[in-house]
Amino acid sequence: MTDADKQTFLETARRVVSIETEALRLLAESFGAEIGDAVELLLSAKGRVIISGMGKSGHIARKIAATFASTGTPAHFVHPAEASHGDLGMMAQGDVALVLSNSGETPELADLVAYTRRFSIPLIGVASRADSTLIKQSDIGLILPKAQEACGTGVVPTTSTTMTLALGDALAVALMEHRRFTPENFREFHPGGKLGAQLSRVRDLMHSGDALPVIGEHTAMSDALLEISQKGFGVVGVTNDAGKLLGIITDGDLRRHMDGLLERTATEVMTAAPQTIAPGALAEEAVGIMNQRKITCLFVVDPEGDGAPAGLLHIHDCLRAGLG
């Protein structure tokens, strides 16, 4: 492969992105009142949003259904060909159908569209032609603006699928904002993987109860060392008689007080006013604090509580969850 070939590939890549960027601009400018009507109709669904499309539109429909479902709008994808062989039973009154077809004339959609008309299931159609069968049959039609496909031949769905995907994202975000969908809600649908880890709260990962390494302020260091050894975190928290966290004893504190260590009490060795974190904070924030301060754990204290330690978060817990 020559350098000229590589330059040609680079120019092609830039041209494709440029064409699709322009198409997205046209899409945004084309939005009108029908977008608000579509969101209102989707919000009114007592059942699910049924999303369908054939071929490349089907792939986009699957992604839109997944985005809806993970952001608080119950949705699933129905393959139009399978719908004609029994899967129409996945649709029911109370649902809303969102059907995608660039031409608006995809024959495999006919049975599905007819089913929505027969059972009064609201239909939102997405196509590039206002006079297409799909749009004419739809309760609400969302028209994609005229834009050239990025392939140059006008045959391969490229620009059209990009616009359809963006339109689906626009609807999903509008729905989630109306529902005041929060990161905590998002985590409920994404308990695994990197997203789930990033949205984990400290309370989800911390150690508490009997696992918490805590001693009183007047505890002898011989007993403090025993607590550190038994609990296995390499640290111990020091509390006053009311249970408020006063300090923490770490390996560094032990080294600094080696001379006569066993004759000392916990308050003589501890580091006072240690860094803490709230149970509702993101675990990712805790990792940032630990990395910045070069420490391996944080005591968890409710800022609205009595100052007592509610838990302990270790860096290893965060690493196991996929953070760090």
Side-chain angles (χ1 to χ4, degrees):
M1 184 180 297
T2 66
D3 289 342
D5 290 330
K6 293 180 181 180
Q7 183 62 32
T8 299
F9 298 152
L10 175 60
E11 292 172 357
T12 298
R14 286 174 173 167
R15 184 185 72 249
V16 168
V17 173
S18 178
I19 291 171
E20 296 195 356
T21 299
E22 173 62 15
L24 290 177
R25 185 188 66 78
L26 293 173
L27 177 66
E29 292 179 352
S30 73
F31 287 161
E34 70 280 356
I35 292 292
D37 294 338
V39 172
E40 183 179 22
L41 184 57
L42 291 167
L43 286 168
S44 72
K46 294 180 173 59
R48 295 176 177 271
V49 178
I50 308 301
I51 308 179
S52 187
M54 194 68 189
K56 303 298 188 297
S57 292
H59 294 305
I60 299 301
R62 287 182 186 275
K63 191 276 178 185
I64 294 174
T67 301
F68 274 32
S70 67
T71 53
T73 299
H76 62 238
F77 170 78
V78 173
H79 194 289
E82 296 295 335
S84 299
H85 295 275
D87 281 4
L88 283 174
M90 299 173 70
M91 301 173 63
Q93 289 183 329
D95 293 340
V96 171
L98 175 62
V99 177
L100 318 178
S101 170
N102 185 39
S103 68
E105 301 294 346
T106 306
E108 292 87 351
L109 294 172
D111 288 342
L112 188 147
V113 171
Y115 189 86
T116 67
R117 304 301 80 190
R118 178 182 177 187
F119 292 99
S120 300
I121 297 172
L123 172 62
I124 301 171
V126 178
S128 60
R129 289 173 45 202
D131 61 346
S132 63
T133 301
L134 174 60
I135 297 302
K136 288 180 177 179
Q137 291 290 325
S138 298
D139 297 291
I140 297 174
L142 301 179
I143 314 300
L144 301 175
K146 294 187 181 301
Q148 70 176 108
E149 298 287 9
C151 64
T153 64
V155 175
V156 181
T158 47
T159 301
S160 57
T161 51
T162 297
M163 288 192 294
T164 306
L165 181 60
L167 175 57
D169 287 342
L171 294 173
V173 173
L175 290 165
M176 65 180 285
E177 288 184 354
H178 180 83
R179 291 192 168 103
R180 292 180 173 83
F181 196 81
T182 66
E184 186 65 30
N185 299 138
F186 193 74
R187 184 181 178 272
E188 291 173 3
F189 296 110
H190 296 77
K194 186 66 175 178
L195 282 174
Q198 289 176 334
L199 295 169
S200 295
R201 300 286 176 176
V202 168
R203 67 168 69 92
D204 300 323
L205 304 178
M206 72 182 190
H207 301 269
S208 59
D210 293 339
L212 205 56
V214 176
I215 57 175
E217 59 185 315
H218 304 299
T219 301
M221 280 306 300
S222 56
D223 293 329
L225 290 172
L226 185 61
E227 180 75 358
I228 292 174
S229 176
Q230 288 179 339
K231 297 300 171 64
F233 295 106
V235 301
V236 65
V238 181
T239 61
N240 62 15
D241 293 339
K244 181 180 179 180
L245 184 68
L246 298 178
I248 185 174
I249 298 175
T250 68
D251 180 65
D253 295 314
L254 297 178
R255 291 198 304 270
R256 284 188 290 273
H257 296 87
M258 284 297 295
D259 186 20
L261 178 66
L262 298 182
E263 281 74 46
R264 299 175 185 270
T265 62
T267 50
E268 295 176 290
V269 176
M270 73 179 190
T271 296
Q275 175 73 54
T276 62
I277 194 163
L282 289 173
E284 192 170 38
E285 177 186 345
V287 171
I289 293 173
M290 286 188 271
N291 287 338
Q292 181 182 21
R293 297 177 68 92
K294 294 182 173 57
I295 56 179
T296 59
C297 58
L298 288 169
F299 271 96
V300 183
V301 176
D302 189 340
E304 298 181 0
D306 56 6
L312 179 74
L313 182 67
H314 197 280
I315 188 66
H316 289 165
D317 304 315
C318 300
L319 293 174
R320 279 192 293 269
L323 294 167

